Amino acid sequence: MTTTVTVTRVPLIFSGHFPKNKNGCASQSAVHFLGSSSTSSASRSSFSSSLTTTTRIRRAGFAVLASNSMAPSIVLVTGAGGRTGSIVYKKLKERSEQYVARGLVRTEESKEKIGGAEDVFVGDIRESESIVPAIQGIDSLIILTSAVPKMKPGSDPSKGRPEFYFEDGAFPEQVDWIGQKNQIDAAKAAGVKQIVLVGSMGGTNLNHPLNSLGNGNILVWKRKAEQYLADSGVPYTIIRAGGLQDKEGGVRELLVGKDDELLQTETRTIARADVAEVCIQALQYEEAQFKAFDLASKPEGTGTPANDFKALFSQVTARF
């Protein structure tokens, strides 16, 4: 919508700027006109309140003052009770000027583990209706849910490779495919602007050892969900992380690749904190949209720690 305003032309100076959203439109700015004293405050207030997030103002010879702040983006992290998801949730909370964080967890116990705040919802991603309240009204979705294999009782890793199993109802097909599909569908229906999905490297190899854990074919189902997201029409970023490590973030050079090429190198692991940071940074740059990439890092002390994420995302050319 374009709003045209006719006012008395006066030689005034434009001050401030319009905060822009990712589409380049003015974002909920309070607009005021500096003019003759005959312009009432009521008129100015009425005009200001008529602006919407996507309103473009045609300025012709009059001055506009815009506020220097824009409304924080509402971001939901699913799997917020997990080791990586909890880091993303915490980082978003720490950046309250930019983001309003929400979390989705499976149990009340998980909710309490990350602070028990009112912005943490309890729901089951396998039941589409239970996640709708958490998704309504958000701007972006970061998916960090995953099936988790458990070691069979009596397995002794010191005596060889242990055996794993998945609990009933928590197999990769149910969590990584149906659960993620439910999230994507609900987000699309709610008009979400971007979805960031964290998966795993190794999906190009059907014989990858992870697929044999509990006979779950976990990478197969993760890949199926990734393809579903890529075909959804919603702007997306698919991050296929290397081996996850519980180490400090922000101290390593990050590497992006495609089609599991990084698995053929010595650099195939990454700190959970770095994955969390890349998730959040992906919300800020158009260069990250409609892209999928593998993510790993160099060892600490080699290379240059990542700080130019726009450049990092610009290296990626693959859409899937």
Side-chain angles (χ1 to χ4, degrees), residues 233-249:
V234 179
Y236 65 87
T237 306
I238 298 170
I239 302 169
R240 301 182 181 118
L244 296 170
Q245 298 180 318
D246 296 314
K247 294 184 176 181
E248 180 186 2

Side-chain angles (χ1 to χ4, degrees), residues 34-81:
L34 302 180
S36 66
S37 58
S38 62
T39 304
S40 69
S41 60
S43 297
R44 291 194 299 269
S45 175
S46 174
F47 177 81
S48 177
S49 65
S50 71
L51 295 177
T52 66
T53 304
T54 56
T55 302
R56 296 189 300 275
I57 306 299
R58 183 180 301 157
R59 290 173 288 143
F62 52 81
V64 181
L65 272 177
S67 68
N68 289 323
S69 63
M70 74 178 173
S73 178
I74 304 174
V75 183
L76 172 65
V77 183
T78 61

Side-chain angles (χ1 to χ4, degrees), residues 199-241:
S200 300
M201 286 199 288
T204 61
N205 180 11
L206 289 176
N207 296 317
H208 193 283
L210 288 178
N211 283 327
S212 66
L213 296 181
N215 295 317
N217 284 320
I218 190 168
L219 296 180
V220 174
W221 295 112
K222 284 182 179 291
R223 198 81 169 184
K224 187 175 178 69
E226 293 168 6
Q227 186 68 65
Y228 188 78
L229 173 58
D231 294 339
S232 70
V234 179
Y236 65 87
T237 306
I238 298 170
I239 302 169
R240 301 182 181 118

Side-chain angles (χ1 to χ4, degrees), residues 5-245:
V5 182
T6 303
V7 298
T8 303
R9 296 171 63 91
V10 289
L12 296 171
I13 301 172
F14 171 69
S15 174
H17 65 279
F18 285 109
K20 301 292 183 66
N21 61 23
K22 289 187 291 187
N23 297 319
C25 298
S27 299
Q28 294 180 325
S29 299
V31 179
H32 304 278
F33 292 94
L34 302 180
S36 66
S37 58
S38 62
T39 304
S40 69
S41 60
S43 297
R44 291 194 299 269
S45 175
S46 174
F47 177 81
S48 177
S49 65
S50 71
L51 295 177
T52 66
T53 304
T54 56
T55 302
R56 296 189 300 275
I57 306 299
R58 183 180 301 157
R59 290 173 288 143
F62 52 81
V64 181
L65 272 177
S67 68
N68 289 323
S69 63
M70 74 178 173
S73 178
I74 304 174
V75 183
L76 172 65
V77 183
T78 61
R83 286 188 286 174
T84 306
S86 60
I87 298 173
V88 177
Y89 174 73
K90 181 180 178 182
K91 281 177 173 284
L92 290 170
K93 295 280 281 186
E94 292 171 347
R95 303 174 194 185
S96 57
E97 291 186 357
Q98 292 178 275
Y99 303 105
V100 174
R102 286 188 192 176
L104 178 69
V105 297
R106 189 168 57 89
T107 65
E108 289 289 344
E109 181 182 1
S110 292
K111 177 175 180 176
E112 292 304 316
K113 188 175 71 172
I114 59 172
E118 292 184 359
D119 56 33
V120 179
F121 294 74
V122 177
D124 188 339
I125 60 172
R126 298 167 298 179
E127 302 292 336
S128 56
E129 293 181 358
S130 77
I131 63 176
V132 170
I135 288 177
Q136 287 298 319
I138 66 172
D139 296 302
S140 302
L141 170 65
I142 300 176
I143 300 176
L144 278 154
T145 52
S146 177
V148 180
K150 295 190 174 183
M151 189 181 300
K152 285 187 175 181
S155 292
D156 187 351
S158 66
K159 296 181 180 180
R161 187 176 179 182
E163 293 187 59
F164 291 85
Y165 73 100
F166 291 96
E167 294 181 335
D168 290 343
F171 274 77
E173 180 179 3
Q174 296 156 312
V175 177
D176 293 279
W177 165 232
I178 296 173
Q180 292 190 2
K181 179 180 180 295
N182 286 341
Q183 294 175 68
I184 294 165
D185 288 342
K188 183 175 181 179
V192 167
K193 300 171 185 175
Q194 185 176 357
I195 299 175
V196 177
L197 172 61
V198 177
S200 300
M201 286 199 288
T204 61
N205 180 11
L206 289 176
N207 296 317
H208 193 283
L210 288 178
N211 283 327
S212 66
L213 296 181
N215 295 317
N217 284 320
I218 190 168
L219 296 180
V220 174
W221 295 112
K222 284 182 179 291
R223 198 81 169 184
K224 187 175 178 69
E226 293 168 6
Q227 186 68 65
Y228 188 78
L229 173 58
D231 294 339
S232 70
V234 179
Y236 65 87
T237 306
I238 298 170
I239 302 169
R240 301 182 181 118
L244 296 170
Q245 298 180 318

